[in-house]
Amino acid sequence: MSSDVYEKLKKCESCIRRVTDFIPEVAIVLGSGLGDYADTIRVTAQIPYGDIEGFPISTVPGHDGRFIFGYVGDVPVVCMKGRVHYYEGYEISDVVLPIRLMKLLGAKYLFLTNASGGVNTSFHAGDLMLITDHISCFAPNPLIGANIEELGTRFPDMSHVYDPGLQEIIKSAAREQQIFLQQGVYAQLTGPSFETPAEIRMLRALGCDAVGMSTAVEAVAAAHMGMKICGISCVCNLAAGMTANLLSHREVQAAADEAAPRFKRLVTEAVKRFGEMQ
Ligand code: HPA
């Protein structure tokens, strides 16, 4: 099974290499609200996911997924506009394929972003949260199956998934930009249903600060390959049972849109500083 996964990955890589020889330094996954982040970068190439043989295509209607290659300041980046989620029905190996692909293209750093529900009672809708660690064990581990030796080791260490140096850079960029930044542990559940109030109480008891339906499995696959990872979550709502409101995707999207200008500024300022890191 693993060699099939690797073969598919190498095919995707050669599809992209037929279009561009761009070598990104930083891979950025654009979550809800950051969809138009590409407008702020100097774009050199774009590849719709549909043009990449074997690449998982989002089932969400109107989702135009694509890789965008270009520069944030002087830093070469590849952005994923649109990601696939496990709840769409893909194999977990397909969910993380894009992350692995961006590493094969040359990216050493991975900047993950997402929308989440706040579990920590001191959070507010619209807060940005630096991800300091995650709980991934509610979703299948993307490394299950024969190990792909070309990518990494069988039992990778997960002590520092979110790179302490990158976290410091993000915190100092936030301070300088006067952007308020929470920090905490992100839990990935599969979705697509939002959680129940009892599940949220469970997550809080487990030490989670925010919950969402992506990101942690991507971080596991990236850590397997030795990427330096960081993540910021846009806390779009307080999670189920924490307010009288029912949760809706529309509310989540509206909060993500409101936070977008701040979120984009923070990502940009942080990525520019990654270029100064060794
Ligand atoms: N739960 C899970 N995922 C989410 C939420 C939530 O409350 N808000 C945004 N993404």
Side-chain angles (χ1 to χ4, degrees), residues 151-188:
L151 301 183
T153 181
R154 171 76 291 185
F155 299 110
D157 178 71
M158 294 282 150
S159 301
H160 301 287
V161 174
Y162 300 88
D163 184 76
L166 297 185
Q167 290 188 49
E168 284 311 313
I169 288 178
I170 292 171
K171 284 195 268 189
S172 83
R175 268 194 305 272
E176 199 176 285
Q177 293 291 315
Q178 300 187 313
I179 295 170
F180 180 65
L181 193 59
Q182 303 277 17
Q183 43 182 306
V185 174
Y186 173 91
Q188 176 173 2

PDB file of all heavy atoms in Angstrom, residues 151-188:
ATOM      1  N   LEU A 151      10.296   8.905   2.926  1.00  0.00           N
ATOM      2  CA  LEU A 151       9.773  10.123   3.566  1.00  0.00           C
ATOM      3  C   LEU A 151      10.266  10.289   4.998  1.00  0.00           C
ATOM      4  O   LEU A 151      10.510  11.408   5.450  1.00  0.00           O
ATOM      5  CB  LEU A 151       8.237  10.119   3.555  1.00  0.00           C
ATOM      6  CG  LEU A 151       7.553  10.054   2.183  1.00  0.00           C
ATOM      7  CD1 LEU A 151       6.039  10.137   2.355  1.00  0.00           C
ATOM      8  CD2 LEU A 151       8.050  11.172   1.259  1.00  0.00           C
ATOM      9  N   GLY A 152      10.359   9.198   5.735  1.00  0.00           N
ATOM     10  CA  GLY A 152      10.741   9.338   7.137  1.00  0.00           C
ATOM     11  C   GLY A 152      10.779   7.995   7.848  1.00  0.00           C
ATOM     12  O   GLY A 152      10.564   6.948   7.238  1.00  0.00           O
ATOM     13  N   THR A 153      10.991   8.079   9.138  1.00  0.00           N
ATOM     14  CA  THR A 153      11.204   6.886   9.939  1.00  0.00           C
ATOM     15  C   THR A 153       9.873   6.275  10.422  1.00  0.00           C
ATOM     16  O   THR A 153       8.841   6.946  10.426  1.00  0.00           O
ATOM     17  CB  THR A 153      12.123   7.252  11.133  1.00  0.00           C
ATOM     18  OG1 THR A 153      12.353   6.107  11.901  1.00  0.00           O
ATOM     19  CG2 THR A 153      11.499   8.308  12.023  1.00  0.00           C
ATOM     20  N   ARG A 154       9.900   5.011  10.807  1.00  0.00           N
ATOM     21  CA  ARG A 154       8.677   4.305  11.220  1.00  0.00           C
ATOM     22  C   ARG A 154       7.991   4.930  12.443  1.00  0.00           C
ATOM     23  O   ARG A 154       6.775   5.067  12.506  1.00  0.00           O
ATOM     24  CB  ARG A 154       9.039   2.837  11.520  1.00  0.00           C
ATOM     25  CG  ARG A 154       7.978   1.993  12.169  1.00  0.00           C
ATOM     26  CD  ARG A 154       6.845   1.528  11.253  1.00  0.00           C
ATOM     27  NE  ARG A 154       5.920   2.530  10.773  1.00  0.00           N
ATOM     28  CZ  ARG A 154       4.826   2.283  10.048  1.00  0.00           C
ATOM     29  NH1 ARG A 154       4.523   1.048   9.693  1.00  0.00           N
ATOM     30  NH2 ARG A 154       4.032   3.239   9.650  1.00  0.00           N
ATOM     31  N   PHE A 155       8.800   5.288  13.440  1.00  0.00           N
ATOM     32  CA  PHE A 155       8.242   5.791  14.702  1.00  0.00           C
ATOM     33  C   PHE A 155       8.749   7.207  14.977  1.00  0.00           C
ATOM     34  O   PHE A 155       9.615   7.410  15.837  1.00  0.00           O
ATOM     35  CB  PHE A 155       8.633   4.863  15.860  1.00  0.00           C
ATOM     36  CG  PHE A 155       8.122   3.454  15.708  1.00  0.00           C
ATOM     37  CD1 PHE A 155       9.000   2.405  15.445  1.00  0.00           C
ATOM     38  CD2 PHE A 155       6.763   3.163  15.822  1.00  0.00           C
ATOM     39  CE1 PHE A 155       8.533   1.099  15.309  1.00  0.00           C
ATOM     40  CE2 PHE A 155       6.297   1.860  15.677  1.00  0.00           C
ATOM     41  CZ  PHE A 155       7.172   0.828  15.423  1.00  0.00           C
ATOM     42  N   PRO A 156       8.238   8.186  14.255  1.00  0.00           N
ATOM     43  CA  PRO A 156       8.794   9.537  14.419  1.00  0.00           C
ATOM     44  C   PRO A 156       8.443  10.157  15.772  1.00  0.00           C
ATOM     45  O   PRO A 156       7.342   9.974  16.284  1.00  0.00           O
ATOM     46  CB  PRO A 156       8.139  10.322  13.270  1.00  0.00           C
ATOM     47  CG  PRO A 156       6.916   9.561  12.925  1.00  0.00           C
ATOM     48  CD  PRO A 156       7.184   8.117  13.243  1.00  0.00           C
ATOM     49  N   ASP A 157       9.395  10.894  16.307  1.00  0.00           N
ATOM     50  CA  ASP A 157       9.196  11.619  17.559  1.00  0.00           C
ATOM     51  C   ASP A 157       8.219  12.777  17.326  1.00  0.00           C
ATOM     52  O   ASP A 157       8.244  13.412  16.272  1.00  0.00           O
ATOM     53  CB  ASP A 157      10.544  12.168  18.033  1.00  0.00           C
ATOM     54  CG  ASP A 157      10.401  12.963  19.310  1.00  0.00           C
ATOM     55  OD1 ASP A 157      10.154  12.342  20.359  1.00  0.00           O
ATOM     56  OD2 ASP A 157      10.498  14.200  19.258  1.00  0.00           O
ATOM     57  N   MET A 158       7.350  13.024  18.286  1.00  0.00           N
ATOM     58  CA  MET A 158       6.362  14.119  18.153  1.00  0.00           C
ATOM     59  C   MET A 158       6.470  15.064  19.359  1.00  0.00           C
ATOM     60  O   MET A 158       5.483  15.694  19.741  1.00  0.00           O
ATOM     61  CB  MET A 158       4.937  13.543  18.057  1.00  0.00           C
ATOM     62  CG  MET A 158       4.676  12.741  16.807  1.00  0.00           C
ATOM     63  SD  MET A 158       4.370  13.738  15.317  1.00  0.00           S
ATOM     64  CE  MET A 158       5.016  12.641  14.058  1.00  0.00           C
ATOM     65  N   SER A 159       7.652  15.160  19.967  1.00  0.00           N
ATOM     66  CA  SER A 159       7.811  15.996  21.166  1.00  0.00           C
ATOM     67  C   SER A 159       7.669  17.480  20.862  1.00  0.00           C
ATOM     68  O   SER A 159       7.222  18.248  21.712  1.00  0.00           O
ATOM     69  CB  SER A 159       9.178  15.756  21.812  1.00  0.00           C
ATOM     70  OG  SER A 159       9.320  14.412  22.167  1.00  0.00           O
ATOM     71  N   HIS A 160       8.126  17.894  19.675  1.00  0.00           N
ATOM     72  CA  HIS A 160       8.086  19.327  19.322  1.00  0.00           C
ATOM     73  C   HIS A 160       7.556  19.470  17.899  1.00  0.00           C
ATOM     74  O   HIS A 160       8.285  19.887  17.000  1.00  0.00           O
ATOM     75  CB  HIS A 160       9.496  19.937  19.412  1.00  0.00           C
ATOM     76  CG  HIS A 160      10.102  19.815  20.782  1.00  0.00           C
ATOM     77  ND1 HIS A 160       9.687  20.573  21.837  1.00  0.00           N
ATOM     78  CD2 HIS A 160      11.065  18.994  21.252  1.00  0.00           C
ATOM     79  CE1 HIS A 160      10.372  20.244  22.912  1.00  0.00           C
ATOM     80  NE2 HIS A 160      11.209  19.278  22.592  1.00  0.00           N
ATOM     81  N   VAL A 161       6.302  19.095  17.698  1.00  0.00           N
ATOM     82  CA  VAL A 161       5.734  19.161  16.346  1.00  0.00           C
ATOM     83  C   VAL A 161       5.757  20.611  15.847  1.00  0.00           C
ATOM     84  O   VAL A 161       6.117  20.887  14.707  1.00  0.00           O
ATOM     85  CB  VAL A 161       4.289  18.605  16.328  1.00  0.00           C
ATOM     86  CG1 VAL A 161       3.649  18.815  14.953  1.00  0.00           C
ATOM     87  CG2 VAL A 161       4.285  17.124  16.691  1.00  0.00           C
ATOM     88  N   TYR A 162       5.365  21.531  16.725  1.00  0.00           N
ATOM     89  CA  TYR A 162       5.300  22.952  16.343  1.00  0.00           C
ATOM     90  C   TYR A 162       6.603  23.598  16.807  1.00  0.00           C
ATOM     91  O   TYR A 162       6.852  23.705  18.019  1.00  0.00           O
ATOM     92  CB  TYR A 162       4.031  23.598  16.940  1.00  0.00           C
ATOM     93  CG  TYR A 162       2.815  22.886  16.405  1.00  0.00           C
ATOM     94  CD1 TYR A 162       2.303  21.748  17.055  1.00  0.00           C
ATOM     95  CD2 TYR A 162       2.231  23.279  15.203  1.00  0.00           C
ATOM     96  CE1 TYR A 162       1.223  21.041  16.523  1.00  0.00           C
ATOM     97  CE2 TYR A 162       1.156  22.567  14.669  1.00  0.00           C
ATOM     98  CZ  TYR A 162       0.664  21.450  15.327  1.00  0.00           C
ATOM     99  OH  TYR A 162      -0.396  20.751  14.796  1.00  0.00           O
ATOM    100  N   ASP A 163       7.420  23.978  15.854  1.00  0.00           N
ATOM    101  CA  ASP A 163       8.797  24.371  16.103  1.00  0.00           C
ATOM    102  C   ASP A 163       8.885  25.571  17.075  1.00  0.00           C
ATOM    103  O   ASP A 163       8.278  26.616  16.803  1.00  0.00           O
ATOM    104  CB  ASP A 163       9.440  24.744  14.761  1.00  0.00           C
ATOM    105  CG  ASP A 163      10.897  25.068  14.912  1.00  0.00           C
ATOM    106  OD1 ASP A 163      11.684  24.123  15.065  1.00  0.00           O
ATOM    107  OD2 ASP A 163      11.239  26.273  14.923  1.00  0.00           O
ATOM    108  N   PRO A 164       9.622  25.424  18.171  1.00  0.00           N
ATOM    109  CA  PRO A 164       9.701  26.518  19.153  1.00  0.00           C
ATOM    110  C   PRO A 164      10.251  27.811  18.544  1.00  0.00           C
ATOM    111  O   PRO A 164       9.779  28.900  18.872  1.00  0.00           O
ATOM    112  CB  PRO A 164      10.655  25.970  20.226  1.00  0.00           C
ATOM    113  CG  PRO A 164      10.590  24.488  20.085  1.00  0.00           C
ATOM    114  CD  PRO A 164      10.332  24.212  18.631  1.00  0.00           C
ATOM    115  N   GLY A 165      11.220  27.705  17.643  1.00  0.00           N
ATOM    116  CA  GLY A 165      11.790  28.905  17.007  1.00  0.00           C
ATOM    117  C   GLY A 165      10.747  29.637  16.167  1.00  0.00           C
ATOM    118  O   GLY A 165      10.641  30.870  16.217  1.00  0.00           O
ATOM    119  N   LEU A 166       9.959  28.875  15.401  1.00  0.00           N
ATOM    120  CA  LEU A 166       8.914  29.499  14.580  1.00  0.00           C
ATOM    121  C   LEU A 166       7.832  30.115  15.463  1.00  0.00           C
ATOM    122  O   LEU A 166       7.286  31.177  15.153  1.00  0.00           O
ATOM    123  CB  LEU A 166       8.296  28.474  13.622  1.00  0.00           C
ATOM    124  CG  LEU A 166       9.227  27.873  12.571  1.00  0.00           C
ATOM    125  CD1 LEU A 166       8.441  26.965  11.614  1.00  0.00           C
ATOM    126  CD2 LEU A 166       9.962  28.943  11.785  1.00  0.00           C
ATOM    127  N   GLN A 167       7.540  29.455  16.579  1.00  0.00           N
ATOM    128  CA  GLN A 167       6.545  30.028  17.505  1.00  0.00           C
ATOM    129  C   GLN A 167       7.019  31.384  18.026  1.00  0.00           C
ATOM    130  O   GLN A 167       6.229  32.326  18.121  1.00  0.00           O
ATOM    131  CB  GLN A 167       6.314  29.093  18.686  1.00  0.00           C
ATOM    132  CG  GLN A 167       5.571  27.821  18.322  1.00  0.00           C
ATOM    133  CD  GLN A 167       5.192  27.026  19.567  1.00  0.00           C
ATOM    134  OE1 GLN A 167       4.640  27.560  20.521  1.00  0.00           O
ATOM    135  NE2 GLN A 167       5.512  25.746  19.569  1.00  0.00           N
ATOM    136  N   GLU A 168       8.307  31.478  18.342  1.00  0.00           N
ATOM    137  CA  GLU A 168       8.845  32.758  18.835  1.00  0.00           C
ATOM    138  C   GLU A 168       8.736  33.835  17.757  1.00  0.00           C
ATOM    139  O   GLU A 168       8.406  34.980  18.039  1.00  0.00           O
ATOM    140  CB  GLU A 168      10.306  32.588  19.281  1.00  0.00           C
ATOM    141  CG  GLU A 168      10.466  31.901  20.623  1.00  0.00           C
ATOM    142  CD  GLU A 168       9.578  32.505  21.720  1.00  0.00           C
ATOM    143  OE1 GLU A 168       9.539  33.744  21.853  1.00  0.00           O
ATOM    144  OE2 GLU A 168       8.908  31.722  22.423  1.00  0.00           O
ATOM    145  N   ILE A 169       9.034  33.456  16.523  1.00  0.00           N
ATOM    146  CA  ILE A 169       8.942  34.415  15.417  1.00  0.00           C
ATOM    147  C   ILE A 169       7.498  34.921  15.285  1.00  0.00           C
ATOM    148  O   ILE A 169       7.257  36.120  15.137  1.00  0.00           O
ATOM    149  CB  ILE A 169       9.409  33.763  14.093  1.00  0.00           C
ATOM    150  CG1 ILE A 169      10.918  33.577  14.127  1.00  0.00           C
ATOM    151  CG2 ILE A 169       8.984  34.603  12.885  1.00  0.00           C
ATOM    152  CD1 ILE A 169      11.485  32.893  12.904  1.00  0.00           C
ATOM    153  N   ILE A 170       6.541  34.012  15.352  1.00  0.00           N
ATOM    154  CA  ILE A 170       5.133  34.412  15.208  1.00  0.00           C
ATOM    155  C   ILE A 170       4.713  35.324  16.365  1.00  0.00           C
ATOM    156  O   ILE A 170       4.040  36.336  16.171  1.00  0.00           O
ATOM    157  CB  ILE A 170       4.224  33.170  15.107  1.00  0.00           C
ATOM    158  CG1 ILE A 170       4.482  32.435  13.788  1.00  0.00           C
ATOM    159  CG2 ILE A 170       2.752  33.562  15.210  1.00  0.00           C
ATOM    160  CD1 ILE A 170       3.823  31.085  13.663  1.00  0.00           C
ATOM    161  N   LYS A 171       5.169  34.974  17.569  1.00  0.00           N
ATOM    162  CA  LYS A 171       4.796  35.804  18.723  1.00  0.00           C
ATOM    163  C   LYS A 171       5.389  37.199  18.594  1.00  0.00           C
ATOM    164  O   LYS A 171       4.724  38.192  18.889  1.00  0.00           O
ATOM    165  CB  LYS A 171       5.241  35.133  20.033  1.00  0.00           C
ATOM    166  CG  LYS A 171       4.343  33.964  20.422  1.00  0.00           C
ATOM    167  CD  LYS A 171       4.558  33.539  21.853  1.00  0.00           C
ATOM    168  CE  LYS A 171       5.592  32.446  21.928  1.00  0.00           C
ATOM    169  NZ  LYS A 171       5.712  31.843  23.254  1.00  0.00           N
ATOM    170  N   SER A 172       6.628  37.269  18.133  1.00  0.00           N
ATOM    171  CA  SER A 172       7.227  38.608  18.043  1.00  0.00           C
ATOM    172  C   SER A 172       6.608  39.396  16.888  1.00  0.00           C
ATOM    173  O   SER A 172       6.395  40.606  16.998  1.00  0.00           O
ATOM    174  CB  SER A 172       8.756  38.553  18.001  1.00  0.00           C
ATOM    175  OG  SER A 172       9.198  38.310  16.707  1.00  0.00           O
ATOM    176  N   ALA A 173       6.246  38.723  15.791  1.00  0.00           N
ATOM    177  CA  ALA A 173       5.545  39.418  14.695  1.00  0.00           C
ATOM    178  C   ALA A 173       4.196  39.945  15.197  1.00  0.00           C
ATOM    179  O   ALA A 173       3.796  41.061  14.872  1.00  0.00           O
ATOM    180  CB  ALA A 173       5.345  38.481  13.508  1.00  0.00           C
ATOM    181  N   ALA A 174       3.501  39.156  16.001  1.00  0.00           N
ATOM    182  CA  ALA A 174       2.192  39.577  16.527  1.00  0.00           C
ATOM    183  C   ALA A 174       2.351  40.797  17.440  1.00  0.00           C
ATOM    184  O   ALA A 174       1.582  41.754  17.346  1.00  0.00           O
ATOM    185  CB  ALA A 174       1.529  38.426  17.285  1.00  0.00           C
ATOM    186  N   ARG A 175       3.378  40.744  18.293  1.00  0.00           N
ATOM    187  CA  ARG A 175       3.631  41.895  19.193  1.00  0.00           C
ATOM    188  C   ARG A 175       3.881  43.150  18.373  1.00  0.00           C
ATOM    189  O   ARG A 175       3.297  44.195  18.616  1.00  0.00           O
ATOM    190  CB  ARG A 175       4.859  41.616  20.066  1.00  0.00           C
ATOM    191  CG  ARG A 175       4.526  40.972  21.408  1.00  0.00           C
ATOM    192  CD  ARG A 175       5.715  41.038  22.350  1.00  0.00           C
ATOM    193  NE  ARG A 175       6.936  40.461  21.797  1.00  0.00           N
ATOM    194  CZ  ARG A 175       7.269  39.173  21.888  1.00  0.00           C
ATOM    195  NH1 ARG A 175       6.477  38.316  22.512  1.00  0.00           N
ATOM    196  NH2 ARG A 175       8.382  38.721  21.362  1.00  0.00           N
ATOM    197  N   GLU A 176       4.747  43.008  17.381  1.00  0.00           N
ATOM    198  CA  GLU A 176       5.112  44.175  16.591  1.00  0.00           C
ATOM    199  C   GLU A 176       3.912  44.737  15.823  1.00  0.00           C
ATOM    200  O   GLU A 176       3.763  45.948  15.684  1.00  0.00           O
ATOM    201  CB  GLU A 176       6.214  43.766  15.616  1.00  0.00           C
ATOM    202  CG  GLU A 176       6.975  44.945  15.068  1.00  0.00           C
ATOM    203  CD  GLU A 176       8.102  44.454  14.191  1.00  0.00           C
ATOM    204  OE1 GLU A 176       9.109  43.980  14.750  1.00  0.00           O
ATOM    205  OE2 GLU A 176       7.957  44.527  12.963  1.00  0.00           O
ATOM    206  N   GLN A 177       3.057  43.851  15.359  1.00  0.00           N
ATOM    207  CA  GLN A 177       1.872  44.276  14.596  1.00  0.00           C
ATOM    208  C   GLN A 177       0.696  44.626  15.510  1.00  0.00           C
ATOM    209  O   GLN A 177      -0.386  44.934  15.025  1.00  0.00           O
ATOM    210  CB  GLN A 177       1.436  43.146  13.642  1.00  0.00           C
ATOM    211  CG  GLN A 177       2.415  42.857  12.534  1.00  0.00           C
ATOM    212  CD  GLN A 177       2.474  44.001  11.533  1.00  0.00           C
ATOM    213  OE1 GLN A 177       1.459  44.524  11.110  1.00  0.00           O
ATOM    214  NE2 GLN A 177       3.682  44.421  11.184  1.00  0.00           N
ATOM    215  N   GLN A 178       0.924  44.491  16.805  1.00  0.00           N
ATOM    216  CA  GLN A 178      -0.141  44.736  17.799  1.00  0.00           C
ATOM    217  C   GLN A 178      -1.384  43.887  17.504  1.00  0.00           C
ATOM    218  O   GLN A 178      -2.510  44.375  17.503  1.00  0.00           O
ATOM    219  CB  GLN A 178      -0.481  46.218  17.857  1.00  0.00           C
ATOM    220  CG  GLN A 178       0.743  47.041  18.254  1.00  0.00           C
ATOM    221  CD  GLN A 178       0.407  48.496  18.498  1.00  0.00           C
ATOM    222  OE1 GLN A 178      -0.277  49.115  17.695  1.00  0.00           O
ATOM    223  NE2 GLN A 178       0.874  49.018  19.611  1.00  0.00           N
ATOM    224  N   ILE A 179      -1.111  42.620  17.206  1.00  0.00           N
ATOM    225  CA  ILE A 179      -2.186  41.654  16.982  1.00  0.00           C
ATOM    226  C   ILE A 179      -2.256  40.740  18.196  1.00  0.00           C
ATOM    227  O   ILE A 179      -1.260  40.102  18.560  1.00  0.00           O
ATOM    228  CB  ILE A 179      -1.934  40.826  15.701  1.00  0.00           C
ATOM    229  CG1 ILE A 179      -1.991  41.740  14.466  1.00  0.00           C
ATOM    230  CG2 ILE A 179      -2.943  39.694  15.571  1.00  0.00           C
ATOM    231  CD1 ILE A 179      -1.517  41.086  13.185  1.00  0.00           C
ATOM    232  N   PHE A 180      -3.409  40.707  18.822  1.00  0.00           N
ATOM    233  CA  PHE A 180      -3.570  39.879  20.022  1.00  0.00           C
ATOM    234  C   PHE A 180      -3.537  38.400  19.623  1.00  0.00           C
ATOM    235  O   PHE A 180      -4.225  37.989  18.686  1.00  0.00           O
ATOM    236  CB  PHE A 180      -4.896  40.231  20.703  1.00  0.00           C
ATOM    237  CG  PHE A 180      -5.138  39.429  21.942  1.00  0.00           C
ATOM    238  CD1 PHE A 180      -4.317  39.568  23.055  1.00  0.00           C
ATOM    239  CD2 PHE A 180      -6.183  38.515  21.993  1.00  0.00           C
ATOM    240  CE1 PHE A 180      -4.531  38.816  24.198  1.00  0.00           C
ATOM    241  CE2 PHE A 180      -6.414  37.759  23.134  1.00  0.00           C
ATOM    242  CZ  PHE A 180      -5.585  37.910  24.245  1.00  0.00           C
ATOM    243  N   LEU A 181      -2.731  37.639  20.337  1.00  0.00           N
ATOM    244  CA  LEU A 181      -2.545  36.230  19.976  1.00  0.00           C
ATOM    245  C   LEU A 181      -2.733  35.345  21.206  1.00  0.00           C
ATOM    246  O   LEU A 181      -1.994  35.473  22.184  1.00  0.00           O
ATOM    247  CB  LEU A 181      -1.121  36.062  19.412  1.00  0.00           C
ATOM    248  CG  LEU A 181      -0.767  34.778  18.691  1.00  0.00           C
ATOM    249  CD1 LEU A 181      -1.674  34.534  17.492  1.00  0.00           C
ATOM    250  CD2 LEU A 181       0.703  34.814  18.239  1.00  0.00           C
ATOM    251  N   GLN A 182      -3.730  34.472  21.142  1.00  0.00           N
ATOM    252  CA  GLN A 182      -3.866  33.446  22.176  1.00  0.00           C
ATOM    253  C   GLN A 182      -2.898  32.316  21.834  1.00  0.00           C
ATOM    254  O   GLN A 182      -2.366  32.271  20.717  1.00  0.00           O
ATOM    255  CB  GLN A 182      -5.291  32.873  22.193  1.00  0.00           C
ATOM    256  CG  GLN A 182      -6.397  33.876  22.388  1.00  0.00           C
ATOM    257  CD  GLN A 182      -6.624  34.213  23.867  1.00  0.00           C
ATOM    258  OE1 GLN A 182      -5.776  33.944  24.721  1.00  0.00           O
ATOM    259  NE2 GLN A 182      -7.744  34.834  24.159  1.00  0.00           N
ATOM    260  N   GLN A 183      -2.688  31.394  22.738  1.00  0.00           N
ATOM    261  CA  GLN A 183      -1.943  30.196  22.359  1.00  0.00           C
ATOM    262  C   GLN A 183      -2.538  28.984  23.042  1.00  0.00           C
ATOM    263  O   GLN A 183      -3.163  29.118  24.098  1.00  0.00           O
ATOM    264  CB  GLN A 183      -0.457  30.319  22.654  1.00  0.00           C
ATOM    265  CG  GLN A 183      -0.065  30.922  23.959  1.00  0.00           C
ATOM    266  CD  GLN A 183       1.455  31.012  24.057  1.00  0.00           C
ATOM    267  OE1 GLN A 183       2.154  30.023  23.890  1.00  0.00           O
ATOM    268  NE2 GLN A 183       1.964  32.184  24.317  1.00  0.00           N
ATOM    269  N   GLY A 184      -2.375  27.829  22.418  1.00  0.00           N
ATOM    270  CA  GLY A 184      -2.941  26.642  23.033  1.00  0.00           C
ATOM    271  C   GLY A 184      -2.887  25.406  22.166  1.00  0.00           C
ATOM    272  O   GLY A 184      -2.271  25.383  21.105  1.00  0.00           O
ATOM    273  N   VAL A 185      -3.560  24.394  22.693  1.00  0.00           N
ATOM    274  CA  VAL A 185      -3.557  23.056  22.089  1.00  0.00           C
ATOM    275  C   VAL A 185      -4.791  22.902  21.192  1.00  0.00           C
ATOM    276  O   VAL A 185      -5.910  23.183  21.616  1.00  0.00           O
ATOM    277  CB  VAL A 185      -3.572  21.977  23.196  1.00  0.00           C
ATOM    278  CG1 VAL A 185      -3.728  20.580  22.603  1.00  0.00           C
ATOM    279  CG2 VAL A 185      -2.308  22.066  24.047  1.00  0.00           C
ATOM    280  N   TYR A 186      -4.530  22.441  19.973  1.00  0.00           N
ATOM    281  CA  TYR A 186      -5.602  22.251  18.981  1.00  0.00           C
ATOM    282  C   TYR A 186      -5.932  20.763  18.892  1.00  0.00           C
ATOM    283  O   TYR A 186      -5.031  19.930  18.778  1.00  0.00           O
ATOM    284  CB  TYR A 186      -5.105  22.770  17.630  1.00  0.00           C
ATOM    285  CG  TYR A 186      -6.025  22.488  16.461  1.00  0.00           C
ATOM    286  CD1 TYR A 186      -7.011  23.400  16.100  1.00  0.00           C
ATOM    287  CD2 TYR A 186      -5.889  21.326  15.699  1.00  0.00           C
ATOM    288  CE1 TYR A 186      -7.855  23.159  15.022  1.00  0.00           C
ATOM    289  CE2 TYR A 186      -6.721  21.075  14.624  1.00  0.00           C
ATOM    290  CZ  TYR A 186      -7.698  21.996  14.289  1.00  0.00           C
ATOM    291  OH  TYR A 186      -8.524  21.753  13.216  1.00  0.00           O
ATOM    292  N   ALA A 187      -7.214  20.453  18.945  1.00  0.00           N
ATOM    293  CA  ALA A 187      -7.637  19.056  18.768  1.00  0.00           C
ATOM    294  C   ALA A 187      -8.334  18.909  17.428  1.00  0.00           C
ATOM    295  O   ALA A 187      -9.179  19.728  17.063  1.00  0.00           O
ATOM    296  CB  ALA A 187      -8.598  18.649  19.881  1.00  0.00           C
ATOM    297  N   GLN A 188      -7.954  17.863  16.695  1.00  0.00           N
ATOM    298  CA  GLN A 188      -8.655  17.559  15.437  1.00  0.00           C
ATOM    299  C   GLN A 188      -9.648  16.441  15.673  1.00  0.00           C
ATOM    300  O   GLN A 188      -9.268  15.327  16.061  1.00  0.00           O
ATOM    301  CB  GLN A 188      -7.660  17.141  14.338  1.00  0.00           C
ATOM    302  CG  GLN A 188      -8.391  16.724  13.050  1.00  0.00           C
ATOM    303  CD  GLN A 188      -7.480  16.461  11.875  1.00  0.00           C
ATOM    304  OE1 GLN A 188      -6.256  16.538  11.986  1.00  0.00           O
ATOM    305  NE2 GLN A 188      -8.075  16.155  10.739  1.00  0.00           N
TER     306      GLN A 188
END
